[in-house]
Amino acid sequence: MKLVVAIVQNQDSRRLADEFTEKGVRATKLSSTGGFLRAGNTTFLMGVEDKKVNETLDLIKENCSTRTQTMMSPPSYDFSLESDLTYPVNVEVGGATIFVLPIDQFLQF
Ligand code: 2BA
């Protein structure tokens, strides 16, 4: 069994959760925040049988889209510069960031 941790964009999380329910993939959904953009995203935790890992990864791939987000650059702290203006920067946010980890034990009481 593997623990699949998938960080996805909030816009994709409802559809993905619906797909998991329909396909019998058990998941826990956590509200999370990206360290870089400081914007909300969604983290799914899934305990998945080894033979269903690829199917689960395919489901995530099919239901999550890459998008471009615009953020304001941090102001410069170089006081020798005349301008401390911030400016918009485009950042591409991936469809999903996924970690697959081995599970030592899976217990339910
Ligand atoms: P954020 O940390 O908010 O990052 C959003 C996007 O900003 C990233 O998209 C990447 O394109 C860009 N980015 C992140 N850190 C950067 C940096 N130091 N310099 C320049 N650009 C940077 P993704 O790579 O698709 O990541 C989407 C979200 O997945 C991340 O949101 C974070 O919540 C999570 N994530 C990505 N890689 C991770 C990792 N190695 N460990 C833990 N969480 C990760």
Side-chain angles (χ1 to χ4, degrees):
M1 191 175 218
K2 297 285 190 293
L3 175 65
V4 178
V5 179
I7 303 163
V8 309
Q9 294 179 58
N10 285 343
Q11 295 97 311
D12 297 320
S13 64
R14 177 180 280 258
R15 189 174 48 164
L16 187 58
D18 289 346
E19 281 290 316
F20 285 153
T21 306
E22 195 176 307
K23 300 284 175 7
V25 176
R26 295 196 178 192
T28 295
K29 196 166 160 256
L30 305 173
S31 294
S32 44
T33 304
F36 187 67
L37 291 179
R38 316 277 164 94
N41 53 26
T42 302
T43 301
F44 285 93
L45 301 181
M46 290 152 284
V48 181
E49 294 297 337
D50 285 353
K51 63 178 189 304
K52 288 192 80 177
V53 168
N54 284 338
E55 186 189 324
T56 304
L57 297 180
D58 287 343
L59 272 182
I60 298 169
K61 209 173 184 179
E62 286 161 16
N63 287 282
C64 296
S65 312
T66 299
R67 295 183 184 85
T68 301
Q69 290 197 21
T70 305
M71 65 178 287
M72 296 309 288
S73 68
S76 167
Y77 294 105
D78 182 349
F79 296 109
S80 63
L81 293 174
E82 285 191 0
S83 164
D84 63 354
L85 289 177
T86 61
Y87 50 91
V89 178
N90 284 335
V91 177
E92 188 166 277
V93 185
T97 298
I98 300 168
F99 304 90
V100 180
L101 297 89
I103 292 180
D104 280 347
Q105 287 190 72
F106 172 69
L107 305 168
Q108 286 184 305
F109 296 112

